[in-house]
C-alpha cells in the first residue's frame, strides 16, 4: 500500500499531508508514492534520520543554511520525463537541455549545503561535467541555448546574419546555422546520456531531503515524539491532530488518551459519546504514521511493525460501496480473519461490531470474534456498548460522564466538557448507563423519560 492509497482507509492522513510544508513537488510526490514500511530496520534508519533533521532545525546557528537549502529545493522541478527521453535515445530540445543544466547546477549547490549540515548518509553524484558541457561560457546561470562557443562555424554564421545585405541572405545563413545547431543538440544529448542515472539519483536524494525537512518541521510544530519499535503497543497521551484542530476552532481541547496492550484482543466498553470511535481512529492514524516514518503526536510511543491495519470504523465504507453497514462489517471481519490466517501480522480495529443488528445476535458476534481472535493470536481492539459478553480477554472501560455536584443542566455543545475519555482496566463488562442521565440534563420531556422507565 502506498501513502496516496491509504487516504481512503485512514482519512486523517490527508489532514497530515496537507499540514506538511514541502519545498517542491519532488518531496510531495515522494511521500505520495512511499510504501507502507514493514521492515523494522528501515524504520529505525528513517527515525534516526528524522531525529537528526529535527536537531538541525532546532539549531539556530544553522538556520541560514537551512533557509538557503529550502530556497534551492524550491527552484527544482521534477524532470523525470526529460531523463526518460534521454535514456531512450532522444535528441533533446533547448527546453530539455535547460532543465538538465538547471538541475545539475541546483543539485550541486544543494549537495554543498548538505555537506555543511553534516548529513553524511545522503549522497549526491558530482555533475561538474554536465554543467561544463551545458555552460561553455562558465556563467553558471540556469538558462540554455546552443552557444556560439560550441562551434566556430556557428559563431561565424551568426555574425554574418547580423551583417547580411537582405532578408534572403540572412535566411540562408540562418538555415545553415540551424543545421549546425541540430547537430550540436544531437552531440550534446549523446554526451549527456551517461549522466542520466546520476541526475535521477540526485533528484531522488533531493526528494528524500525535502520530505525529511517537511516531517521534521511538522514534528516540531506538534511536539511529536520519536516512536520506538517493540512487541507491544504502548502509547502515552496520544492526540488525534485533526480532531484536536477542529475542537480548537470551537474553543475546546482534545483530551489525550493513553493505552497499552500486547499481541492480544482488547475489549473496550463505554457508553455512546464516550470517545471509543475517536480512540480507534487515533490508533489507526498512529500506526499508519509510524509505518510511513513519521514522529507521533504523543508524549511517548512504542509500537510493533505490522503487515496490515484493517479497520471497521463508522459507516463511510458502506456509503462508498453501496452495501448496508452490517454487510460491510461482516465482510471486514471475514477479511481480518483470512488475513490473520495467512500468517500476516495484523492490527484489527473494530468499532461497535454488529451494532446495527439485534442485540442478541450482536452479542453472539462480538463473543465469536473475540474468541476466534484469541485463537489466531490476533492483535485486535474491539469497542462495544454491549454488556453480558462471555469472553476472556483484556478489558478496558472509558471512564465516561463525570458530572460535578450542583450541575443540573447541560447544553448539547458542552456534554463533552464533562466526559472523561481516559481508560481504566476492569473485569466487569457492564457498560455505563448514561443515556437517561444525559437526556435529563438536556431537559428532554419528563413524561417521555418516565414512559421509558427512567427513574431519578
Amino acid at each position: 500500500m502506498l501513502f496516496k492509497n491509504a487516504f481512503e482507509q485512514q482519512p486523517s492522513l490527508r489532514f497530515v499531508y496537507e499540514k506538511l510544508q514541502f519545498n517542491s513537488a519532488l518531496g510531495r510526490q515522494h511521500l505520495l508514492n512511499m510504501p507502507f514500511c514493514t521492515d523494522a530496520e528501515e524504520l529505525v534508519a528513517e527515525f534516526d534520520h528524522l531525529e537528526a533533521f529535527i536537531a538541525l532545525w532546532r539549531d539556530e546557528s544553522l538556520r541560514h543554511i537551512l533557509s538557503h537549502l529550502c530556497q534551492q529545493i524550491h527552484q527544482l522541478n521534477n524532470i523525470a520525463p526529460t531523463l526518460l527521453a534521454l535514456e531512450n535515445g532522444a535528441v533533446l530540445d533547448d527546453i530539455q537541455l535547460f532543465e538538465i543544466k538547471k538541475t545539475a547546477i541546483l543539485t550541486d549547490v544543494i549537495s554543498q549545503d548538505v555537506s555543511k549540515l553534516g548529513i553524511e548518509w545522503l549522497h549526491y553524484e558530482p555533475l561538474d561535467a554536465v554543467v561544463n558541457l551545458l555552460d561553455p561560457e562558465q556563467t553558471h546561470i540556469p538558462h540554455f541555448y546552443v552557444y556560439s562557443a560550441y562551434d566556430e562555424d556557428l559563431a561565424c554564421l551568426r555574425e554574418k546574419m547580423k551583417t547580411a545585405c537582405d532578408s534572403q541572405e540572412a535566411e540562408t545563413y540562418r538555415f545553415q546555422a540551424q543545421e549546425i545547431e541540430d547537430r550540436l543538440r544531437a552531440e550534446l544529448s549523446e554526451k549527456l546520456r551517461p549522466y542520466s542515472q546520476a541526475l535521477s539519483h540526485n533528484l531522488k536524494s533531493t526528494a528524500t531531503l525535502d520530505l525529511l525537512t517537511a516531517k521534521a518541521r511538522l514534528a516540531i510544530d506538534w511536539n511529536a515524539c520519536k516512536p520506538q519499535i517493540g512487541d507491544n503497543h504502548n502509547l502515552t497521551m496520544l492526540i488525534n491532530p485533526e480532531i484536536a484542530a477542529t475542537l480548537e476552532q470551537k474553543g475546546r481541547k482534545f483530551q489525550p488518551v493513553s493505552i497499552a496492550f500486547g499481541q492480544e484482543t482488547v475489549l473496550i466498553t463505554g457508553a455512546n459519546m464516550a470517545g471509543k470511535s475517536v480512540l480507534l481512529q487515533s490508533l489507526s492514524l498512529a500506526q499508519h504514521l509510524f509505518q510511513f516514518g513519521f514522529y507521533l503526536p504523543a508524549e511517548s510511543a512504542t509500537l510493533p511493525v505490522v503487515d496490515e491495519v484493517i479497520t471497521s470504523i463508522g459507516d463511510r465504507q458502506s456509503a462508498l460501496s453501496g452495501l448496508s453497514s452490517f454487510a460491510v462489517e461482516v465482510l471486514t471481519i471475514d477479511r481480518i480473519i483470512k488475513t490473520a490466517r495467512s500468517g500476516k501480522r495484523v492490527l484489527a480495529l473494530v468499532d461497535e461490531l454488529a451494532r446495527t443488528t439485534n442485540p442478541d445476535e450482536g452479542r453472539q458476534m462480538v463473543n465469536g470474534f473475540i474468541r476466534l481472535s484469541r485463537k489466531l493470536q490476533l492483535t485486535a481492539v474491539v469497542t462495544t456498548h454491549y454488556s453480558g459478553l462471555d469472553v476472556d480477554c483484556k478489558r478496558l472501560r472509558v471512564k465516561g460522564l463525570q458530572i460535578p455536584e450542583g450541575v443540573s443542566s447541560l447544553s448539547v455543545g458542552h456534554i463533552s466538557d464533562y466526559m472523561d475519555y481516559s481508560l481504566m482496566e476492569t473485569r466487569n463488562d457492564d457498560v455505563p448507563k448514561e443515556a437517561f442521565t444525559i437526556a435529563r440534563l438536556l431537559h428532554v420531556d419528563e413524561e417521555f423519560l418516565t414512559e421509558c422507565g427512567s427513574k431519578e
Side-chain angles (χ1 to χ4, degrees), residues 307-320:
D307 296 309
E308 264 191 76
V309 181
I310 305 179
T311 63
S312 176
I313 306 173
D315 296 326
R316 185 172 184 275
Q317 290 302 317
S318 57
L320 291 173

Side-chain angles (χ1 to χ4, degrees), residues 202-413:
N202 286 2
L203 283 176
K204 185 176 180 181
S205 291
T206 305
T208 299
L209 183 65
D210 192 19
L211 176 55
L212 280 169
T213 298
K215 283 182 176 180
R217 295 165 79 173
L218 186 67
I220 292 171
D221 289 345
W222 284 353
N223 195 27
C225 71
K226 179 182 180 180
Q228 304 299 314
I229 298 176
D231 296 327
N232 302 324
H233 285 82
N234 194 337
L235 296 142
T236 305
M237 302 298 281
L238 176 67
I239 290 174
N240 186 309
E242 182 177 24
I243 297 174
T246 301
L247 290 174
E248 187 176 357
Q249 291 174 355
K250 299 176 181 178
R252 291 156 57 193
K253 288 187 177 181
F254 182 90
Q255 181 184 334
V257 178
S258 300
I259 186 170
F261 55 95
Q263 189 175 326
E264 59 188 331
T265 301
V266 182
L267 180 64
I268 299 179
T269 55
N272 287 329
M273 300 178 64
K276 301 187 298 298
S277 300
V278 171
L279 171 62
L280 294 191
Q281 291 167 3
S282 301
L283 286 174
S284 173
L285 177 61
Q287 192 73 42
H288 280 90
L289 288 175
F290 168 64
Q291 291 191 236
F292 282 117
F294 285 79
Y295 271 31
L296 299 189
E299 281 190 3
S300 64
T302 299
L303 301 91
V305 177
V306 301
D307 296 309
E308 264 191 76
V309 181
I310 305 179
T311 63
S312 176
I313 306 173
D315 296 326
R316 185 172 184 275
Q317 290 302 317
S318 57
L320 291 173
S321 64
L323 297 174
S324 70
S325 298
F326 181 72
V328 171
E329 277 187 306
V330 293
L331 288 173
T332 302
I333 294 300
D334 184 61
R335 180 183 159 213
I336 290 170
I337 293 166
K338 287 177 178 175
T339 306
R341 280 184 170 147
S342 73
K344 288 186 176 181
R345 301 164 295 180
V346 180
L347 173 62
L349 303 170
V350 181
D351 188 30
E352 302 281 9
L353 175 59
R355 66 189 180 280
T356 57
T357 189
N358 72 73
D360 290 335
E361 287 184 310
R363 287 188 186 89
Q364 289 177 317
M365 294 197 75
V366 175
N367 281 330
F369 177 68
I370 292 175
R371 288 171 186 152
L372 185 54
S373 295
R374 285 174 55 79
K375 287 182 183 179
L376 296 172
Q377 296 184 315
L378 171 67
T379 301
V381 181
V382 182
T383 69
T384 187
H385 62 265
Y386 288 139
S387 57
L389 297 172
D390 182 22
V391 286
D392 179 23
C393 67
K394 182 183 181 78
R395 292 173 182 264
L396 300 173
R397 181 168 70 82
V398 181
K399 285 187 178 179
L401 200 62
Q402 307 290 314
I403 302 295
E405 287 188 20
V407 175
S408 59
S409 178
L410 285 179
S411 64
V412 175

